[in-house]
Amino acid sequence: VQLVESGGGSVQAGGSLRLSCAASGITVSSYCMGWFRQAPGKERGRVAVIDSDGSTSYSDSVKGRFTISKDNAKNTLYLQMTGLEPEDTAMYYCAADPAPHLVRWGRPRDWGQGTQVTVS
């Protein structure tokens, strides 16, 4: 299994970025997928989750600003981020597991290498 994130970068507060996670070895349509983030000195936390049926959930800190989606044909997961704030600065990770509860508990089986998002 490979999960490869891209799309991170540096942006000013109020700006937008779209993260992508290209998956191989799994089929995103049948997996629960999630985005997590970890800032320096902080624990990794869940940002957004999308189930195999397309239902979504978000952490309170990003609700209304971030949107998680997936393109089954491209086998790719996305995170559209708008209204970015300095507090959103972190390494963002894509993750996947066939068991939704493991993604929601922050213990999915498969992880990407991360992509850095910096908001100033």
Side-chain angles (χ1 to χ4, degrees), residues 25-118:
I26 64 168
T27 303
V28 300
S29 61
S30 58
Y31 272 62
C32 183
M33 308 286 295
W35 287 99
F36 293 77
R37 67 185 181 185
Q38 185 170 23
K42 295 188 177 181
E43 292 186 357
R44 186 164 54 190
R46 188 180 70 247
V47 175
V49 174
I50 184 165
D51 283 332
S52 57
D53 64 1
S55 57
T56 59
S57 62
Y58 299 90
S59 68
D60 289 342
S61 61
V62 306
K63 201 171 294 183
R65 299 187 298 123
F66 291 10
T67 303
I68 188 171
S69 63
K70 59 182 178 177
D71 185 328
N72 293 335
K74 294 183 178 180
N75 215 35
T76 299
L77 177 73
Y78 301 100
L79 185 68
Q80 179 68 49
M81 306 185 293
T82 63
L84 283 162
E85 303 167 351
E87 293 74 23
D88 296 317
T89 295
M91 184 71 78
Y92 283 72
Y93 298 90
C94 168
D97 199 290
H101 68 281
L102 291 179
V103 179
R104 285 180 167 77
W105 293 351
R107 295 164 55 189
R109 182 189 69 189
D110 302 310
W111 292 90
Q113 83 290 347
T115 186
Q116 178 68 38
V117 172
T118 302

